[in-house]
Amino acid sequence: MSKTAFITGATSGFGLACARRLAAAKWNLVLTGRRASRLAEIQDELSVHTQVLTLTLDVCDSDAIKAQVEALPTPFSRVDLLLNNAGLALGTEPAQACDLSDWKTMIDTNIGGLVAVTHALLPRLIEQGKGSSIINLGSIAGHWPYPGGNVYCGTKAFVEQFSYALRCDLSGTGVRVTNLAPGLSESEFTLVRTGGNQDAYNNLYQGADPIQPEDVADTVYWLATLPAHLNVNQLELMPVSQAWSPFSIHREH
């Protein structure tokens, strides 16, 4: 029987790359996103490989999530993998210059959306039992702060700790939980963060050979297909070009 993956934020970036990787391996796919037309295009593309169900869904709408999950038809009702990928970063300004609405949007999506989807799918994952997985897309920002990260860093720190706490609560169920934390990655995510500023996007990645969505997809597939008795609690990925810098020191003149 084919396995089934439920992927949030599947219309671009990491989510789309993971959908393609799992489709190539003949996993059934439940793909969610807010752009119905884009989901339809992806369904057409991937249906030649596997069975695909698309749900036009805002992860911030917990009632809609619950209703859609309860109505999942066969064969999508048996979920082996939940990939919590939907998330965003808004703005690069210091905290004192940020727009409060951007902060609230990040909290609602990166935290509220992730916990709502997880809560809705936990019964199905537990029923599936040994070998099922929750993979949460965190970030190195959840562990390593940087200027302008403020609330985004805070939301990804939540994802890390929530993942660890889930591991505690799910002990004995067979359900695995991983916090996958990429570093510098090239995707549409950065264009959203910079308000569509293509120059800022190009400058960030120039000469850096950053992580690509396909790299994350290969990693997700590896995690999801490990022997059922193994759990990777935390996996941090960086491109070789990225490393740590000395602590910042402000000097009075």
Side-chain angles (χ1 to χ4, degrees):
M1 183 180 295
S2 296
K3 292 188 175 184
T4 298
F6 189 108
I7 303 175
T8 66
T11 56
S12 64
F14 295 163
L16 177 55
C18 289
R20 287 170 171 157
R21 180 67 183 84
L22 291 166
K26 306 301 182 184
W27 283 55
N28 298 322
L29 299 175
V30 181
L31 306 179
T32 81
R34 293 181 297 175
R35 294 178 284 181
S37 60
R38 185 74 183 111
L39 283 171
E41 293 172 2
I42 295 166
Q43 185 173 33
D44 288 343
E45 174 193 342
L46 299 183
S47 291
V48 299
H49 302 291
T50 190
Q51 299 185 82
V52 181
L53 174 68
T54 60
L55 304 176
T56 305
L57 192 62
D58 185 339
V59 294
C60 296
D61 188 343
S62 57
D63 291 337
I65 292 165
K66 182 178 179 182
Q68 294 272 29
V69 168
E70 288 178 350
L72 287 174
T74 304
F76 306 103
S77 57
R78 293 174 57 89
V79 178
D80 299 273
L81 167 65
L82 166 58
L83 177 59
N84 276 315
N85 167 73
L88 77 168
L90 296 172
T92 57
E93 300 86 2
Q96 61 270 29
C98 286
D99 186 325
L100 181 59
S101 65
D102 286 345
W103 281 7
K104 289 181 176 179
T105 299
M106 286 187 280
I107 292 168
D108 290 346
T109 305
N110 300 357
I111 296 178
L114 183 144
V115 300
V117 175
T118 301
H119 189 267
L121 280 164
L122 273 175
R124 294 180 184 271
L125 290 159
I126 292 170
E127 181 181 1
Q128 194 72 335
K130 192 172 184 180
S132 60
S133 301
I134 300 170
I135 300 177
N136 293 325
L137 252 297
S139 169
I140 63 168
H143 202 76
W144 308 106
Y146 58 89
N150 44 71
V151 167
Y152 177 70
C153 290
T155 64
K156 292 305 182 178
F158 174 90
V159 173
E160 180 177 325
Q161 287 301 316
F162 181 62
S163 300
Y164 294 159
L166 274 178
R167 281 276 289 124
C168 297
D169 291 344
L170 294 173
S171 179
T173 67
V175 181
R176 305 181 288 191
V177 185
T178 298
N179 181 54
L180 176 56
L184 183 67
S185 305
E186 184 174 10
S187 75
E188 185 179 305
F189 174 94
T190 303
L191 277 177
V192 172
R193 182 168 203 174
T194 60
N197 187 329
Q198 189 66 50
D199 288 338
Y201 179 96
N202 295 340
N203 291 336
L204 177 63
Y205 299 121
Q206 185 176 8
D209 197 12
I211 294 169
Q212 297 298 313
E214 292 74 20
D215 300 323
V216 172
D218 286 340
T219 305
V220 165
Y221 181 76
W222 175 74
L223 289 167
T225 56
L226 283 170
H229 68 287
L230 296 178
N231 191 98
V232 177
N233 301 324
Q234 160 91 351
L235 182 55
E236 183 177 282
L237 296 174
M238 288 187 186
V240 175
S241 63
Q242 188 176 32
W244 301 273
S245 295
F247 281 110
S248 172
I249 300 174
H250 173 73
R251 303 184 187 278
E252 298 291 345
H253 295 289

